[in-house]
Amino acid sequence: MSATVNPPVAFTQDELGWVSWIEPLPEAELTERHFNGLVDRARAKSEYFRLLVRDPEVLEARTKTDKDIFYNVADGLPRAERELAAAATSRYNGCIYCASVHARFASTYSKRREDVQKLLDEGVDADLGERWNAVVKASVALASTPIAFGPENIAELRSAGLDDAEIVDVINGASFFNWANRLMLSLGEPSK
Amino acid sequence: MAPTDIIDKLAGIEPGSALDGIRARRLQARENAQKSYLSLFEPIDTGDFSLLERAAVAAFVTGLHGESPVAAFYRDKLAATSGGAALLDAIDAEIARGKTSGPYGSFPAGPLSIENTAGLIFRVSAASKSGLGTRLVAALEHAHLLVFRPRDAASSDMNALLAAGWSNTGIVTFSQLVAFLSFQVRVVSGLRTLAAVNA
């Protein structure tokens, strides 16, 4: 498998592929239990999801957690800033694949493609304006081990205009990418 | 009585509180974070990853994040798991040896190489190896990599787990467990911080 991989060496908003280091389940072996785990049947075409579906119960619960944190925008933080938290976390942890996907989403929803690219090019210290800086800084503090998120992060998010429901969305979105990054980084690698 | 939501319990969120109300607006996320916990720690199939191994890895991973209600919860879980009490000293010793600050590690060679940051490459001590056994030794070393330097992960790390007796399915569940705990410990920390600011 690795012979076909052409790994990216920089953060990008381009669409990347991803290649597994261990064996995904063959599509022909998927049962109803597996399709329940995939949530969306079309994910049977994805190598990543056919790998994760080796444990269908965890995959199903993880996928539904992900969808609610990022797509349930009836209230709380705008979608663009949830994606910014995901992109910043991925930039900081070093997940080139996750950063590409969520930087692209952040650009689409915010129409601030150049600022998103600045985050990818310069890293998490890039100056993106008060509100985005506060979101990025909070995400980075949460991603650090030991966790460095403190009252000062909440104060900064509040002075940038976020209420508590929006702050919880930052916490959820950034925390979730500490889950996602570790799966993408440890089970395979991106390919251009 | 409704079953305990682990994140609420560890974050100290009381029914009817402001944060309870905010969490209720992401009900599917709340319920499925709980289902993730249950499918990892009360699974329907333990053939590829035993309950004892799950508890030991969880105590190690959350312990590496420092003292917290989450670390105490999983240490207690290990103590309460059959065979777990005998592993506590070794896990505590390896947490003490493995604690550091992350994320660090290397990027693929290229423009990002200037951001490469060196740090501890953790290996289980000789003293702990016999008590933990081959599978858990490999698991703790890989868990440390995932906690502190996930960007260093390579296909050779998968081969090390396979060589230590882990199956492909066991590796997937193990990776989910470490990654899920990386999420859970942060949600709890974030919510506790917000609750404390508001108290």
Side-chain angles (χ1 to χ4, degrees):
Chain A
M1 259 186 253
S2 58
T4 63
V5 175
N6 178 22
V9 297
F11 287 94
T12 174
Q13 297 189 51
D14 293 348
E15 287 200 33
L16 300 174
W18 185 90
V19 180
S20 175
W21 286 325
I22 57 174
E23 292 167 26
L25 288 182
E27 253 188 280
E29 288 182 19
L30 300 180
T31 64
E32 271 315 297
R33 179 182 166 216
H34 296 122
F35 282 113
N36 289 338
L38 289 168
V39 182
D40 300 326
R41 286 184 89 91
R43 288 184 164 177
K45 297 290 175 201
S46 153
E47 191 165 315
Y48 177 62
F49 288 112
R50 274 191 288 110
L51 176 64
L52 293 185
V53 85
R54 285 179 171 280
D55 191 327
E57 287 75 32
V58 183
L59 176 60
E60 180 181 359
R62 177 191 172 278
T63 300
K64 289 178 176 175
T65 307
D66 179 358
K67 283 179 182 285
D68 202 30
I69 289 173
F70 285 93
Y71 299 162
N72 179 357
V73 287
D75 56 14
L77 201 63
R79 177 78 192 277
E81 288 162 341
R82 302 185 202 197
E83 297 295 347
L84 177 67
T89 302
S90 304
R91 178 66 179 83
Y92 185 59
N93 281 329
C95 188
I96 292 174
Y97 184 86
C98 295
S100 74
V101 174
H102 297 279
R104 216 156 53 235
F105 281 144
S107 289
T108 300
Y109 289 101
S110 68
K111 314 288 183 210
R112 290 173 60 179
R113 188 183 164 85
E114 285 180 14
D115 283 333
V116 173
Q117 191 59 41
K118 200 170 167 188
L119 170 70
L120 296 184
D121 292 343
E122 296 176 16
V124 294
D125 292 327
D127 183 5
L128 309 174
E130 185 193 4
R131 187 171 163 108
W132 277 27
N133 286 349
V135 171
V136 170
K137 209 166 152 188
S139 303
V140 165
L142 272 168
S144 300
T145 308
I147 299 163
F149 185 86
E152 68 284 1
N153 295 107
I154 290 170
E156 283 176 6
L157 290 165
R158 282 183 176 162
S159 71
L162 278 73
D163 65 22
D164 279 9
E166 293 174 316
I167 291 171
V168 169
D169 284 335
V170 173
I171 292 168
N172 278 338
S175 296
F176 185 83
F177 267 78
N178 284 282
W179 189 347
N181 291 164
R182 285 177 172 82
L183 293 177
M184 299 294 322
L185 283 168
S186 73
L187 295 170
E189 63 186 314
S191 176
K192 282 193 278 194
Chain B
M1 204 179 90
T4 308
D5 182 279
I6 298 295
I7 288 176
D8 283 344
K9 176 184 161 180
L10 296 176
I13 294 174
E14 300 291 337
S17 65
L19 277 178
D20 179 47
I22 289 172
R23 288 207 82 212
R25 283 143 81 177
R26 299 282 173 274
L27 193 59
Q28 180 175 288
R30 187 186 218 170
E31 289 177 351
N32 282 284
Q34 176 72 6
K35 280 184 187 169
S36 300
Y37 165 80
L38 291 173
S39 56
L40 288 165
F41 292 98
E42 297 177 19
I44 57 176
D45 181 355
T46 59
D48 292 282
F49 189 8
S50 74
L51 291 178
L52 177 61
E53 288 170 336
R54 290 172 198 237
V57 172
F60 180 67
V61 164
T62 55
L64 288 176
H65 286 79
E67 296 292 318
S68 76
V70 184
F73 174 80
Y74 286 106
R75 194 178 186 281
D76 290 348
K77 179 180 278 294
L78 176 59
T81 302
S82 177
L87 299 182
L88 281 175
D89 286 350
I91 296 293
D92 284 343
E94 297 310 308
I95 290 169
R97 294 180 62 249
K99 267 191 191 169
T100 181
S101 299
Y104 53 90
S106 297
F107 286 97
L112 291 169
S113 296
I114 54 164
E115 293 186 30
N116 289 353
T117 313
L120 174 67
I121 309 293
F122 172 81
R123 294 291 175 257
V124 170
S125 67
S128 297
K129 275 187 175 171
S130 61
L132 292 171
T134 310
R135 276 173 60 94
L136 267 180
V137 167
L140 297 194
E141 290 177 352
H142 193 72
H144 191 278
L145 176 143
L146 287 186
V147 169
F148 288 108
R149 51 187 187 102
R151 63 178 175 253
D152 276 350
S155 58
S156 55
D157 296 303
M158 295 287 100
N159 294 336
L161 287 172
L162 291 166
W166 288 84
S167 66
N168 285 302
T169 297
I171 290 172
V172 167
T173 303
F174 165 78
S175 305
Q176 286 277 20
L177 184 135
V178 176
F180 165 76
L181 291 169
S182 304
F183 159 81
Q184 190 188 48
V185 71
R186 286 175 171 81
V187 171
V188 168
S189 173
L191 294 176
R192 287 187 75 85
T193 304
L194 185 55
V197 165
N198 288 343

Short mmCIF file of all heavy atoms in Angstrom, two decimals, chain A residues 7-14 16 91 94-97 99-100 117 120-121 190 192, chain B residues 107-113 115:
data_model
loop_
_atom_site.label_atom_id
_atom_site.label_comp_id
_atom_site.label_asym_id
_atom_site.label_seq_id
_atom_site.Cartn_x
_atom_site.Cartn_y
_atom_site.Cartn_z
N PRO A 7 2.91 11.45 0.33
CA PRO A 7 2.45 12.23 1.49
C PRO A 7 2.70 13.73 1.34
O PRO A 7 3.76 14.13 0.83
CB PRO A 7 3.28 11.67 2.65
CG PRO A 7 4.35 10.84 2.05
CD PRO A 7 4.04 10.59 0.63
N PRO A 8 1.75 14.55 1.71
CA PRO A 8 1.95 16.00 1.69
C PRO A 8 2.96 16.37 2.78
O PRO A 8 3.01 15.73 3.82
CB PRO A 8 0.57 16.55 2.02
CG PRO A 8 -0.10 15.47 2.81
CD PRO A 8 0.44 14.18 2.28
N VAL A 9 3.77 17.41 2.54
CA VAL A 9 4.77 17.81 3.53
C VAL A 9 4.44 19.17 4.14
O VAL A 9 5.21 19.70 4.94
CB VAL A 9 6.20 17.84 2.93
CG1 VAL A 9 6.60 16.44 2.48
CG2 VAL A 9 6.27 18.82 1.76
N ALA A 10 3.30 19.73 3.77
CA ALA A 10 2.89 21.02 4.33
C ALA A 10 1.37 21.01 4.53
O ALA A 10 0.67 20.20 3.94
CB ALA A 10 3.28 22.16 3.40
N PHE A 11 0.88 21.91 5.41
CA PHE A 11 -0.56 22.04 5.60
C PHE A 11 -1.19 22.69 4.37
O PHE A 11 -0.60 23.60 3.78
CB PHE A 11 -0.84 22.86 6.86
CG PHE A 11 -0.56 22.10 8.12
CD1 PHE A 11 0.68 22.20 8.75
CD2 PHE A 11 -1.51 21.26 8.67
CE1 PHE A 11 0.95 21.49 9.90
CE2 PHE A 11 -1.25 20.54 9.82
CZ PHE A 11 -0.01 20.65 10.45
N THR A 12 -2.35 22.22 4.01
CA THR A 12 -2.99 22.65 2.75
C THR A 12 -4.50 22.61 2.90
O THR A 12 -5.02 21.87 3.73
CB THR A 12 -2.55 21.72 1.60
OG1 THR A 12 -3.28 22.05 0.42
CG2 THR A 12 -2.84 20.24 1.92
N GLN A 13 -5.19 23.41 2.08
CA GLN A 13 -6.65 23.29 2.02
C GLN A 13 -7.08 22.39 0.85
O GLN A 13 -8.26 22.23 0.61
CB GLN A 13 -7.30 24.68 1.88
CG GLN A 13 -7.02 25.59 3.08
CD GLN A 13 -7.82 26.88 3.06
OE1 GLN A 13 -9.05 26.86 2.91
NE2 GLN A 13 -7.15 28.00 3.22
N ASP A 14 -6.10 21.83 0.14
CA ASP A 14 -6.43 20.93 -0.97
C ASP A 14 -7.07 19.65 -0.44
O ASP A 14 -6.87 19.27 0.71
CB ASP A 14 -5.15 20.54 -1.73
CG ASP A 14 -4.54 21.72 -2.46
OD1 ASP A 14 -5.21 22.77 -2.57
OD2 ASP A 14 -3.37 21.60 -2.89
N LEU A 16 -7.16 15.86 0.14
CA LEU A 16 -6.15 14.81 0.26
C LEU A 16 -6.82 13.45 0.35
O LEU A 16 -7.98 13.35 0.75
CB LEU A 16 -5.31 15.03 1.53
CG LEU A 16 -4.54 16.35 1.63
CD1 LEU A 16 -3.89 16.47 3.02
CD2 LEU A 16 -3.47 16.43 0.54
N ARG A 91 -3.99 21.64 13.40
CA ARG A 91 -2.72 22.31 13.08
C ARG A 91 -1.73 22.12 14.23
O ARG A 91 -0.56 21.83 14.01
CB ARG A 91 -2.98 23.81 12.83
CG ARG A 91 -1.71 24.63 12.52
CD ARG A 91 -1.10 24.22 11.21
NE ARG A 91 0.10 24.97 10.83
CZ ARG A 91 1.34 24.72 11.27
NH1 ARG A 91 1.54 23.75 12.16
NH2 ARG A 91 2.38 25.43 10.84
N GLY A 94 -0.69 18.49 14.63
CA GLY A 94 0.11 18.07 13.48
C GLY A 94 -0.60 17.12 12.54
O GLY A 94 0.05 16.35 11.84
N CYS A 95 -1.93 17.17 12.51
CA CYS A 95 -2.68 16.28 11.62
C CYS A 95 -2.96 17.00 10.29
O CYS A 95 -3.93 17.77 10.18
CB CYS A 95 -3.97 15.79 12.25
SG CYS A 95 -4.77 14.52 11.23
N ILE A 96 -2.10 16.75 9.31
CA ILE A 96 -2.21 17.44 8.02
C ILE A 96 -3.53 17.08 7.31
O ILE A 96 -4.16 17.94 6.69
CB ILE A 96 -0.98 17.10 7.14
CG1 ILE A 96 0.28 17.75 7.76
CG2 ILE A 96 -1.17 17.58 5.70
CD1 ILE A 96 1.59 17.38 7.09
N TYR A 97 -3.96 15.83 7.46
CA TYR A 97 -5.22 15.42 6.81
C TYR A 97 -6.42 16.14 7.42
O TYR A 97 -7.21 16.78 6.71
CB TYR A 97 -5.42 13.89 6.88
CG TYR A 97 -6.68 13.49 6.13
CD1 TYR A 97 -6.64 13.25 4.76
CD2 TYR A 97 -7.92 13.45 6.78
CE1 TYR A 97 -7.78 12.94 4.06
CE2 TYR A 97 -9.08 13.15 6.08
CZ TYR A 97 -9.00 12.90 4.72
OH TYR A 97 -10.14 12.61 4.02
N ALA A 99 -6.54 18.78 9.25
CA ALA A 99 -6.44 20.24 9.05
C ALA A 99 -6.92 20.61 7.65
O ALA A 99 -7.59 21.63 7.47
CB ALA A 99 -5.01 20.71 9.28
N SER A 100 -6.60 19.78 6.66
CA SER A 100 -7.01 20.11 5.28
C SER A 100 -8.53 20.14 5.17
O SER A 100 -9.11 21.05 4.58
CB SER A 100 -6.40 19.12 4.29
OG SER A 100 -7.05 17.86 4.33
N GLN A 117 -5.80 30.22 5.63
CA GLN A 117 -4.49 29.82 5.08
C GLN A 117 -3.35 30.32 5.96
O GLN A 117 -2.34 29.63 6.14
CB GLN A 117 -4.35 30.35 3.65
CG GLN A 117 -3.15 29.75 2.90
CD GLN A 117 -3.22 28.23 2.77
OE1 GLN A 117 -4.29 27.67 2.53
NE2 GLN A 117 -2.09 27.55 2.98
N LEU A 120 -2.80 27.94 8.67
CA LEU A 120 -2.06 26.76 8.19
C LEU A 120 -0.59 27.09 7.96
O LEU A 120 0.29 26.30 8.29
CB LEU A 120 -2.69 26.22 6.90
CG LEU A 120 -4.12 25.70 7.00
CD1 LEU A 120 -4.55 25.12 5.65
CD2 LEU A 120 -4.26 24.65 8.09
N ASP A 121 -0.32 28.27 7.37
CA ASP A 121 1.07 28.62 7.01
C ASP A 121 1.90 29.03 8.22
O ASP A 121 3.05 28.62 8.36
CB ASP A 121 1.08 29.76 5.98
CG ASP A 121 0.52 29.34 4.63
OD1 ASP A 121 0.44 28.12 4.38
OD2 ASP A 121 0.18 30.23 3.83
N PRO A 190 -1.88 10.56 5.17
CA PRO A 190 -2.49 11.26 4.05
C PRO A 190 -1.68 11.07 2.77
O PRO A 190 -0.48 10.78 2.82
CB PRO A 190 -2.47 12.72 4.49
CG PRO A 190 -1.34 12.83 5.46
CD PRO A 190 -1.24 11.48 6.13
N LYS A 192 -1.35 12.84 -1.32
CA LYS A 192 -1.80 13.91 -2.23
C LYS A 192 -2.53 13.32 -3.43
O LYS A 192 -2.20 12.25 -3.89
CB LYS A 192 -0.60 14.72 -2.72
CG LYS A 192 -0.11 15.71 -1.68
CD LYS A 192 0.87 16.71 -2.28
CE LYS A 192 2.26 16.15 -2.36
NZ LYS A 192 3.29 17.12 -2.60
N PHE B 107 7.49 16.41 11.79
CA PHE B 107 6.64 16.45 10.60
C PHE B 107 7.37 15.74 9.46
O PHE B 107 8.59 15.52 9.54
CB PHE B 107 6.37 17.91 10.22
CG PHE B 107 5.39 18.60 11.14
CD1 PHE B 107 5.83 19.39 12.19
CD2 PHE B 107 4.02 18.44 10.95
CE1 PHE B 107 4.91 20.02 13.04
CE2 PHE B 107 3.11 19.06 11.79
CZ PHE B 107 3.56 19.85 12.84
N PRO B 108 6.66 15.41 8.38
CA PRO B 108 7.35 14.86 7.21
C PRO B 108 8.43 15.86 6.75
O PRO B 108 8.21 17.07 6.83
CB PRO B 108 6.23 14.75 6.15
CG PRO B 108 4.95 14.80 6.91
CD PRO B 108 5.20 15.57 8.17
N ALA B 109 9.56 15.35 6.29
CA ALA B 109 10.67 16.22 5.90
C ALA B 109 10.21 17.24 4.86
O ALA B 109 9.56 16.88 3.87
CB ALA B 109 11.80 15.37 5.34
N GLY B 110 10.50 18.51 5.10
CA GLY B 110 10.07 19.58 4.21
C GLY B 110 9.97 20.88 4.98
O GLY B 110 10.65 21.05 6.00
N PRO B 111 9.11 21.78 4.51
CA PRO B 111 9.04 23.12 5.13
C PRO B 111 8.62 23.09 6.61
O PRO B 111 8.95 24.02 7.36
CB PRO B 111 7.98 23.85 4.29
CG PRO B 111 7.26 22.79 3.52
CD PRO B 111 8.21 21.67 3.34
N LEU B 112 7.93 22.04 7.04
CA LEU B 112 7.50 21.99 8.44
C LEU B 112 8.60 21.46 9.37
O LEU B 112 8.43 21.49 10.59
CB LEU B 112 6.25 21.10 8.57
CG LEU B 112 4.97 21.65 7.95
CD1 LEU B 112 3.89 20.57 7.91
CD2 LEU B 112 4.46 22.87 8.73
N SER B 113 9.71 21.01 8.79
CA SER B 113 10.76 20.42 9.64
C SER B 113 11.26 21.40 10.69
O SER B 113 11.69 20.97 11.77
CB SER B 113 11.93 19.95 8.77
OG SER B 113 11.49 18.91 7.91
N GLU B 115 9.56 23.08 12.53
CA GLU B 115 8.68 22.99 13.71
C GLU B 115 8.90 21.70 14.49
O GLU B 115 8.23 21.47 15.50
CB GLU B 115 7.21 23.08 13.28
CG GLU B 115 6.82 24.44 12.71
CD GLU B 115 5.31 24.55 12.42
OE1 GLU B 115 4.51 23.90 13.11
OE2 GLU B 115 4.96 25.29 11.48
#
